[in-house]
Amino acid sequence: MLRAKREKQQAYEFVSIEDLVPQDHLLRKVDKYIDFSFIDEKVRPLYCVDNGRPAVDPIVLFKMIFLGYFYGIRSERQLEREIQTNLAYRWFLGLGLTDKVPDYTTISWNRRTRFKDTTIFQDIFDEIVLQAISHRMVGGRVLVTDSTHVKANANKHHYTKQQVLKNTKDYMDELNAAVAEDRKEHGKKPLKIREEVNEENEIKVSKTDPDSGYMIRDGKPEGFFYLDHRTVDMKYNLITDVHVTPGNVHDSVPYLSRLDRQQIRFGFKVEAVALDFGYLTTPICRGLQRREIFAVIAHRRFHPNQGLFPKWKFTFDAERNLYVCPASHELKYRTTDRKGYRQYASDSEHCKTCPLLNECTHSRNHRKVVTRHVWEDSKEWVRSNRLSRSGKQLYRKRKETIERSFADAKELHGFRYCRLRGLPNVSEQALMTAAVQNMKKMAIHLDRLEKRG
């Protein structure tokens, strides 16, 4: 017989919240294996000692923040509602069944006032990495780095155009010295000191979130974005560095400085790195070679002018410092320009009668010019690494590490879109997302180890 039960539950029961949370729940593992006691020490200087109302326990406050990132809850108001009805969340925070949940405005107020202009979120991320190191889950020997775009909380149609100065390259002094030395070795006069010219670019600036950058890339969506530059350790795919920039900043710009930061902060002895083709720039190749780090960087295929020989058809003779063309003619050194490129030019008298002229150059003076950077040896060193057996094995691991890390952040932790506006707030979101990803991986791994033995 079908009988509906419409009576409301009125019975009172004596229950323990400890008994209502499953023993294999993720939050139980996180609470057991992650030590949150460092939070008190980190935030104590931000609180007044002898004035004001009693504050919400900082560990409870940050655990609320972690819950939002663990389960991809985008709204702090919704987070409060979820905690009110979810027993596992209450247990994780140390709240009883009848305890009042801290108001959602507490989180936003602390972000806008107490934690503003501090490094607290970076400090918390770093502490989680240090705990992973103590559990031998981070080796610091092989690192994989890449960036992913995160949609800014801004309409791409609402913008103004502004003139901004081009980024000053931090390697220019070293490059200028290398150019001067190269010209001296080739018997060329030093270049005249050119007055510094401040070149400007016109960019789109969002009216809603001016810190974001307008991104236009092949195969990527167009609009206002941020870039999450992330590094993972090859041992257990734990995230060791997070850095956020506007979407119009090139991947290679912050790379070397962030690599150095990890070595200083965590004491890493980096032996090898794997990078996407966006990092295949001469300064990065040079920087990694000087640091004696085995570098594997994806190949970027350039398309030459239609019908003309690609550059690889011209063979470089290092001993004689010249190029040899497909017709076995020599292209001799002419000069080194300010950008660090050596110019090798052919003899036009030979080229006039060459049967391959139309496949080589369209220049009116029948002269072929091939350029080679003063640091080109470093780039060729990276290419040889990529083609080696160990280089191929290392690069194959890239999609299993960094790409998977980005996919988890977007699919499971709500990092496909920016919740807030402004670079500091987006950096907070990136750091906390990465922190909970590390906590989750650490807790699950340590729990498995304990069960095995």
Side-chain angles (χ1 to χ4, degrees), residues 280-290 295 297 372-385:
L280 188 60
T281 65
T282 310
I284 283 185
C285 295
R286 170 74 169 177
L288 291 171
Q289 187 179 36
R290 293 187 65 181
I297 306 179
R372 179 181 179 85
H373 200 275
V374 292
W375 293 338
E376 189 70 21
D377 291 343
S378 298
K379 188 174 282 189
E380 290 180 349
W381 167 75
V382 170
R383 291 194 186 103
S384 65
N385 292 343

Side-chain angles (χ1 to χ4, degrees), residues 39 56-65 92-95 102:
I39 293 177
V56 174
D57 184 351
I59 294 181
V60 174
L61 177 65
F62 275 96
K63 279 187 172 183
M64 287 180 66
I65 295 174
F92 183 65
L93 297 176
L95 300 178

Side-chain angles (χ1 to χ4, degrees), residues 195-226:
E195 293 184 6
E196 186 175 350
V197 179
N198 293 326
E199 299 182 15
E200 293 185 341
N201 279 344
E202 184 180 75
I203 64 170
K204 294 179 179 179
V205 178
S206 171
K207 294 181 180 180
T208 310
D209 186 358
D211 287 352
S212 63
Y214 197 85
M215 189 179 74
I216 303 177
R217 293 189 182 184
D218 293 338
K220 303 289 185 181
E222 180 178 339
F224 289 104
F225 288 86
Y226 286 93

